[in-house]
Amino acid sequence: FRRQAEEYRRSYSELDLKASRLKENYARLTAQANDAIIIADARTLRIIETNRKSHEMYGYTEEEFLSLSIGDLVPESGREAQRERLKTIRSRSGALIEAEHRRKNGDLFPAEISSAYTSSAAGEFIFSIIRDISERMRMQQSLRESEENYRQLFEAESDAILLIDNTAGKILQANNAAAALYGYTHEEMLDMRNTDLSAEPEDTTKVTKSTPVAPDKVVVIPLRYHRKKNGEIFPVEITGRFFTREGRPVHVVAIRDITGRKKAEEELRQSEERQRMAAEAAQFGVYDYDMESGLRSYSPEFLRLFGLPPGSELPLDADQVPAAIYPEDRAGLIEARKAGDDPTGTGLVDHEFRIILPTGPVRWLRVRGRTVFTGTGAGARPLRANGIIQDITERKLAETALRKNKN
């Protein structure tokens, strides 16, 4: 398998290698993340990629994750609410929520989920960053139960924590993490207002004055920009609770610097854009096939190679083979596909074939792909197949001309 994989890797063009390096950079970024990162197909909700922290948090292996949907990560009672949240994510391109999730062993835990919707030539995806907030929830409970416990946990939290007077906006308490984040001393922070930390003071004041005081009222602001003592502006995520303390309305907020997260999201977006541009430049198309749902997706460049406009349905025959394939090459493609879908094989496909375009000419194509399996041994079955297809007509014509010259 290693020898075959190495031969497959060497067959990639220089442009393929650049795309591979982009993927490797992204893989290193997610592997080092302290939060779980899960990517799912936006249409089928099937999980297609996870990082190391996901396996630790939920207890599933990478292979087990690939047989699940994101609905399997929440208890039955929470699935209807999740479906509604997914609609919001797609309509607004993202959301930040708190919800109860379930580990493989059945244990439930509170999670904070930041999700974003993205689309590329490869399809539509939901990109989620999940954090286990069990500790934070315990801290909030302790805050309600005991002022002394509150003070102890207040300083233990790694996020910046502020206790703020609703009426004047004055900072009543700040933990050490807050002082370190903004660059002020603890004494300086207690002489400030919350608007002094904000790069959007009007929005900060508006939220403070418009939110009713209620013990269970949680306000989540997924993105706000704050300012440090040195003038640096940076993105933060804010979670706040509004309540009454010693007879006056106050709120406590947990503030997290999300500079790293925004950078990761931007790098992912740029990586997808670079891969799309690379695909267009190299004239190769991308395909994806979910074998359980039967859903297929093709990039615009893939369809163009078959002489079809973007968004078209690829005509297939009774054996699910492209109808445009050259008759003499049909059997070979079927065998190559069967070999790729065989759990006892490598899962790789590398095959050349001809198609007849609607306009008449014959075009040579090369398909290179892989199949992902679920289960092991005799119980393994193909779950998903994806890869690229490239026009190699010029190369084949050159090879033909070279053979004629030799003869």
Side-chain angles (χ1 to χ4, degrees):
F1 173 76
R2 289 180 178 175
R3 287 196 300 272
Q4 290 174 329
E6 180 62 21
E7 291 172 1
Y8 179 70
R9 184 190 68 78
R10 283 200 298 268
S11 70
Y12 267 45
S13 65
E14 181 180 356
L15 199 55
D16 292 327
L17 290 174
K18 290 180 180 178
S20 177
R21 292 189 189 105
L22 289 171
K23 187 175 181 180
E24 289 173 1
N25 291 336
Y26 169 69
R28 282 195 295 270
L29 180 67
T30 57
Q32 296 169 2
N34 291 322
D35 295 328
I37 297 177
I38 295 177
I39 302 176
D41 187 305
R43 292 166 300 174
T44 65
L45 304 185
R46 280 283 177 183
I47 295 172
I48 60 176
E49 188 171 341
T50 57
N51 69 340
R52 171 188 56 79
K53 189 64 177 180
S54 302
H55 310 154
E56 296 175 2
M57 184 178 296
Y58 290 93
Y60 292 105
T61 64
E62 181 179 9
E63 184 179 62
E64 288 172 330
F65 262 118
L66 295 179
S67 67
L68 302 175
S69 72
I70 53 179
D72 295 323
L73 304 182
V74 299
E76 186 70 32
S77 59
R79 292 183 183 175
E80 181 60 35
Q82 185 190 59
R83 283 191 285 270
E84 293 302 315
R85 289 194 295 270
L86 290 174
K87 294 178 183 178
T88 301
I89 291 169
R90 294 196 64 165
S91 63
R92 299 181 183 175
S93 297
L96 176 69
I97 56 97
E98 291 182 10
E100 199 171 52
H101 273 211
R102 182 174 59 191
R103 307 186 204 277
K104 179 182 178 180
N105 63 9
D107 289 349
L108 301 179
F109 68 98
E112 183 182 79
I113 307 102
S114 176
S115 297
Y117 167 81
T118 183
S119 61
S120 67
E124 300 174 49
F125 307 96
I126 294 176
F127 178 89
S128 298
I129 300 175
I130 303 105
R131 173 168 292 191
D132 182 344
I133 58 170
S134 301
E135 184 63 25
R136 182 195 298 174
M137 298 299 288
R138 283 194 289 269
M139 289 176 60
Q140 292 170 344
Q141 179 64 27
S142 296
L143 175 62
R144 290 191 291 268
E145 295 174 350
S146 168
E147 183 68 18
E148 180 59 30
N149 287 343
Y150 157 70
R151 283 195 295 268
Q152 294 175 2
L153 294 170
F154 190 72
E155 290 302 334
E157 174 61 63
S158 59
D159 289 339
I161 304 289
L162 301 175
L163 180 65
I164 302 168
D165 180 273
N166 286 14
T167 305
K170 181 176 174 56
I171 298 174
L172 303 175
Q173 291 187 34
N175 67 349
N176 292 333
L181 176 62
Y182 291 97
Y184 292 99
T185 65
H186 189 265
E187 290 72 22
E188 286 175 327
M189 296 205 75
L190 297 183
D191 196 34
M192 299 172 67
R193 290 178 171 78
N194 58 347
T195 51
D196 296 330
L197 302 177
S198 177
E200 304 161 304
E202 292 183 1
D203 291 332
T204 298
T205 301
K206 182 178 179 181
V207 171
T208 300
K209 291 185 176 181
S210 63
T211 304
V213 174
D216 297 322
K217 180 66 176 178
V218 178
V219 175
V220 178
I221 302 175
L223 178 63
R224 186 75 88 212
Y225 287 93
H226 277 197
R227 180 182 285 107
K228 298 184 180 183
K229 184 178 181 178
N230 63 8
E232 177 189 345
I233 294 176
F234 64 105
V236 298
E237 169 191 294
I238 304 172
T239 303
R241 286 185 180 273
F242 288 70
F243 56 97
T244 300
R245 179 176 182 265
E246 297 177 355
R248 59 181 181 179
V250 297
H251 62 281
V252 62
V253 292
I255 303 166
R256 179 175 299 154
D257 182 350
I258 58 171
T259 302
R261 179 191 303 176
K262 299 301 289 184
K263 181 180 178 181
E265 291 173 352
E266 179 60 20
E267 287 181 356
L268 175 63
R269 186 194 66 77
Q270 291 181 4
S271 174
E272 291 174 343
E273 180 63 16
R274 285 193 292 267
Q275 291 185 46
R276 182 190 66 78
M277 294 174 65
E280 292 178 355
Q283 293 188 320
F284 65 76
V286 179
Y287 70 89
D288 184 81
Y289 175 34
D290 187 317
M291 298 179 179
E292 292 201 339
S293 67
L295 291 176
R296 304 170 186 266
S297 65
Y298 309 103
S299 70
E301 188 63 23
F302 182 103
L303 295 170
R304 189 195 68 76
L305 291 174
F306 281 85
L308 300 170
S312 302
E313 289 289 333
L314 180 67
L316 302 173
D317 64 17
D319 292 316
Q320 302 301 298
V321 172
I325 192 169
Y326 202 76
E328 295 178 5
D329 295 348
R330 185 174 178 278
L333 180 59
I334 292 176
E335 286 303 312
R337 191 183 66 187
K338 286 182 178 178
D341 293 345
D342 184 353
T344 64
T346 65
L348 300 178
V349 174
D350 190 345
H351 188 71
E352 298 176 357
F353 60 92
R354 291 166 290 178
I355 62 170
I356 303 175
L357 295 178
T359 53
V362 174
R363 172 178 285 166
W364 275 95
L365 299 179
R366 181 183 183 184
V367 60
R368 286 174 286 174
R370 68 184 180 92
T371 300
V372 176
F373 301 91
T374 180
T376 57
R381 68 179 191 278
L383 184 68
R384 194 180 197 93
N386 50 48
I388 65 172
I389 192 166
Q390 191 168 17
D391 188 340
I392 58 170
T393 304
E394 291 186 7
R395 193 198 82 195
K396 299 297 285 190
L397 292 175
E399 291 173 353
T400 300
L402 182 61
R403 284 195 299 270
K404 287 182 179 178
N405 288 337
K406 287 183 177 180
N407 294 334

